[in-house]
Amino acid sequence: MSSINELQYALRIGLSIARELWSYKAKGWVTSIWATDIDRDGDIEIVAGSKDGRVYILTKDGDERWKQVVGKKSPVETIVAIPPAKGRENISLEANSVCACVLVGTRDGKVYGFDKDGKEVASNRHRTHEENTEERLGENRLEDTSWYTSSHVLRNIYANLEENGDIFIGSEDRYIRALDYYTGGEHWKFETGGWVRAIGMCHMKGEEKSKILVGSDDKHIYILDQNGRCINKRNVQSQIHRLFVLDINRDGEEEILLGTDGKELKVLTTDLQEKWSHPPDLRRFSHPGLPAGQADGTQGDEIRRPQLRAGARLD
């Protein structure tokens, strides 16, 4: 890339109003990113997954806290970081069990759990190994400690233990599944018309319980209740790659932001009415706190260089 092209790219992604705080070099393309306080110590941790089958935890200053090999080193497709529900920082439903704060979905259709210190948590919710070494793990590992196994590529994992005790998994088989975080049992599944790429939660006006949002390749966004029943849906005319929920105008009501392959960012109300849309300079929008894409380029944009960067606004 020429210096002029590099400058044009830097200006386009906003470096004219931001400066780099730090960067971290991973061993493979960074395919998934999440940021949250996984141990409730008051500091945000950055969680990242890479194409070479590793998960990384960094401090807010970009220092490596730990990294681990995931399963048989199948590329990481999706990550969710889950702060323990308040009061459950060190316990789960079973005695001697531990809380998995990081769940990782891989291209070979498996979900793995890790605690806040990087130790793998098996499907029975017990810590399995003190250290995940290259010799013990990777392609030659014999034991299967995954929480869930599918014959399809996993596209998205979502969980919010403050709102719901389930893990939501979306895959290329067109289903979203709700699994009990503490036992692994399947509560329900819902079929869409395409790959399930985006999952989230929202609060509807006048409703006490949160609702589950599902974005699919069939160009629909679905709203499900906590029993997996569809209560609303909308055709947005483009495949949905990412969604994010936030009260963006601080009026007390949440908005749903959708990143699509239709060259626009859409903003909807929680009853799925469009508020506005914006055509970006790039082909797709991807929310930076959710998985960024797949290595073959079919799931939105990803960080193709093995590097994580953090920046700050200049104003």
Side-chain angles (χ1 to χ4, degrees):
M1 181 182 291
S2 70
S3 58
I4 294 179
N5 289 338
E6 288 177 343
L7 176 59
Q8 290 174 335
Y9 176 76
L11 292 173
R12 186 174 66 175
I13 65 174
L15 294 186
S16 59
I17 58 171
R19 60 184 175 86
E20 183 175 300
L21 293 178
W22 53 261
S23 65
Y24 174 88
K25 188 171 184 179
K27 291 191 175 182
W29 291 356
V30 178
T31 56
S32 312
I33 306 173
W34 200 281
T36 193
D37 182 3
I38 64 172
D39 52 10
R40 294 196 180 278
D41 65 352
D43 289 328
I44 295 294
E45 284 80 32
I46 294 89
V47 185
S50 64
K51 181 184 176 184
D52 67 331
R54 288 178 173 83
V55 59
Y56 303 82
I57 301 291
L58 309 179
T59 69
K60 63 181 181 180
D61 299 315
D63 298 321
E64 182 184 297
R65 184 163 155 181
W66 55 262
K67 65 181 177 183
Q68 296 289 16
V69 172
V70 179
K72 294 187 176 182
K73 297 180 72 174
S74 178
V76 173
E77 291 290 333
T78 177
I79 277 180
V80 63
I82 316 168
K86 291 180 179 178
R88 289 189 172 274
E89 286 83 354
N90 298 304
I91 63 173
S92 68
L93 292 184
E94 299 181 21
N96 302 319
S97 295
V98 292
C99 292
C101 297
V102 178
L103 295 177
V104 183
T106 60
R107 186 175 294 181
D108 61 359
K110 293 182 180 292
V111 175
Y112 296 91
F114 296 87
D115 73 3
K116 61 185 178 62
D117 300 313
K119 298 178 177 61
E120 188 176 3
V121 181
S123 56
N124 63 5
R125 306 309 188 258
H126 290 273
R127 186 181 290 119
T128 56
H129 300 284
E130 289 301 308
E131 184 177 4
N132 292 352
T133 63
E134 294 281 355
E135 293 76 16
R136 191 188 66 76
L137 297 181
E139 297 177 357
N140 297 321
R141 73 181 286 168
L142 298 177
E143 73 275 35
D144 185 0
T145 56
S146 62
W147 286 35
Y148 173 79
T149 300
S150 170
S151 59
H152 296 80
V153 176
L154 302 185
R155 287 297 176 180
N156 198 252
I157 302 177
Y158 182 85
N160 184 338
L161 298 185
E162 297 294 339
E163 298 284 346
N164 184 292
D166 285 339
I167 306 163
F168 301 100
I169 299 175
S171 75
E172 290 185 1
D173 69 354
R174 304 181 299 178
Y175 282 93
I176 174 177
R177 290 175 169 83
L179 307 181
D180 189 290
Y181 170 83
Y182 299 102
T183 68
E186 183 176 298
H187 285 161
W188 52 262
K189 64 180 180 180
F190 175 82
E191 185 177 14
T192 72
W195 293 359
V196 175
R197 295 184 184 270
I199 305 171
M201 280 186 172
C202 72
H203 293 88
M204 301 182 70
K205 188 175 182 179
E207 297 280 345
E208 180 179 352
K209 292 186 176 181
S210 58
K211 300 297 186 288
I212 295 97
L213 300 171
V214 184
S216 173
D217 270 8
D218 66 3
K219 303 181 181 180
H220 284 79
I221 180 171
Y222 300 84
I223 298 182
L224 312 181
D225 66 18
Q226 294 203 12
N227 294 312
R229 293 186 290 261
C230 182
I231 60 175
N232 199 1
K233 66 178 181 179
R234 178 188 175 101
N235 188 335
V236 299
Q237 307 300 321
S238 302
Q239 292 181 354
I240 299 170
H241 289 258
R242 295 291 178 267
L243 66 82
F244 187 62
V245 178
L246 187 68
D247 181 4
I248 58 176
N249 55 6
R250 300 182 181 179
D251 64 353
E253 296 186 13
E254 294 177 333
E255 283 78 35
I256 303 167
L257 287 72
L258 298 180
T260 75
D261 66 356
K263 297 185 178 180
E264 60 184 348
L265 168 68
K266 290 181 178 288
V267 177
L268 309 180
T269 64
T270 53
D271 59 359
L272 302 187
Q273 299 303 305
E274 184 171 321
K275 297 189 74 168
W276 53 265
S277 63
H278 174 71
D281 186 34
L282 302 174
R283 182 165 180 254
R284 299 176 184 138
F285 271 118
S286 287
H287 168 239
L290 295 179
Q294 176 190 326
D296 62 14
T298 62
Q299 192 197 347
D301 300 317
E302 69 176 353
I303 303 173
R304 291 181 176 269
R305 295 179 182 178
Q307 201 164 43
L308 288 171
R309 295 180 182 273
R313 294 183 61 88
L314 295 180
D315 56 358

